[in-house]
Amino acid sequence: MESRYLQKELGTCLTQGLAEVARMRPVDPIEYLALWIYKYKENMTMKQQRENEKAQLEHERELALLEQEMMERLKAEEILFQQQQLELQLELEMQEKERQRMEEMQRAQEGVEEEMIMNMVKTEETLHLEEAITDSGKTLAEISDRYGAPNLSRVEELDEPMLSDVALNIDQD
C-alpha cells in the first residue's frame, strides 16, 4: 500500500532524478538530487499553470466566438428588421398613391358625369329654344336671355379691305 503511494506520488520524479544523478555523477549527490527535485516541482507547477492558462484562454476564445456569432445574428436581425420597415413604408406609400389615384379617378368620373348631365341640360335647353324659335319665328338671340348672347339687330357690318387691296399695298412698299 505504501509502495503504491510512493509509486504514484514520487515514482516518476525519483526515477528521473536518480537517473540524472547517475548520469551527472555530482560530488554531493544528495544535495544535487534535492535541488533537482525542487526544480522538477517548479517545472511541474509552471507546466500546470501554463495548462490552466491555456485552458482559460481556450474557454475565453470560445466565449468570444459565441459573442461574435451573437453580434452577427443581431446585426442580421437588425438589417432584416430595417428591410421589413422599408418594405412596410413602401407598401404604405404605394397604398397612399393608389388611394390618391382612385380619388382622382372618382373625381374625374364625377366630372364626366356632371359634364354629361350639363350636356343633357344644355341639349334640353337647346331643344326648348329650337321649339320656341320654330313656334314663334324669332331668332335665337331674340329668344335667349343668356348674358352675352348677341343681339343680331344691333350688329353692324364693317367695311373690310378686300384681299386684293391688301396685296396691292404690300406690292407698293
Side-chain angles (χ1 to χ4, degrees), residues 87-100:
E87 289 173 1
L88 181 63
Q89 186 177 5
L90 287 174
E91 186 176 329
L92 289 174
E93 288 175 4
M94 293 296 287
Q95 288 175 355
E96 180 65 22
K97 287 180 182 177
E98 182 66 21
R99 186 186 60 77
Q100 289 174 353

Side-chain angles (χ1 to χ4, degrees), residues 31-173:
E31 185 178 350
Y32 185 85
L33 181 61
L35 292 174
W36 189 91
I37 290 174
Y38 280 126
K39 184 67 175 168
Y40 179 83
K41 182 177 184 216
E42 185 179 313
N43 289 343
M44 287 294 130
T45 304
M46 293 296 284
K47 182 179 177 184
Q48 185 66 35
Q49 189 177 12
R50 280 192 305 259
E51 288 175 3
N52 289 343
E53 287 176 359
K54 187 177 179 181
Q56 186 178 359
L57 286 174
E58 184 66 27
H59 179 70
E60 288 175 4
R61 187 175 70 81
E62 288 174 3
L63 288 177
L65 288 174
L66 288 174
E67 185 176 341
Q68 182 181 7
E69 201 174 287
M70 180 77 78
M71 292 299 288
E72 289 173 358
R73 279 192 222 141
L74 286 173
K75 285 180 184 179
E77 287 178 9
E78 184 177 347
I79 289 170
L80 181 63
F81 180 73
Q82 288 174 352
Q83 287 175 345
Q84 289 174 344
Q85 290 295 325
L86 283 174
E87 289 173 1
L88 181 63
Q89 186 177 5
L90 287 174
E91 186 176 329
L92 289 174
E93 288 175 4
M94 293 296 287
Q95 288 175 355
E96 180 65 22
K97 287 180 182 177
E98 182 66 21
R99 186 186 60 77
Q100 289 174 353
R101 189 179 67 79
M102 293 298 285
E103 285 176 0
E104 289 174 5
M105 286 177 56
Q106 187 176 8
R107 279 189 225 122
Q109 187 175 7
E110 288 173 358
V112 167
E113 288 174 359
E114 287 177 12
E115 190 175 318
M116 288 175 59
I117 291 171
M118 294 299 287
N119 286 339
M120 289 173 60
V121 169
K122 286 180 184 178
T123 305
E124 288 178 11
E125 287 177 2
T126 306
L127 287 174
H128 289 304
L129 286 175
E130 287 176 359
E131 287 174 6
I133 291 171
T134 55
D135 290 344
S136 67
K138 294 183 178 179
T139 63
L140 180 63
E142 293 170 344
I143 295 174
S144 176
D145 10 337
R146 287 191 182 172
Y147 175 75
N151 189 348
L152 295 179
S153 61
R154 288 189 287 158
V155 175
E156 299 176 14
E157 282 190 33
L158 298 176
D159 289 334
E160 295 180 11
M162 298 179 95
L163 183 60
S164 60
D165 292 338
V166 173
L168 287 174
N169 286 339
I170 293 174
D171 291 338
Q172 290 174 357
D173 291 336

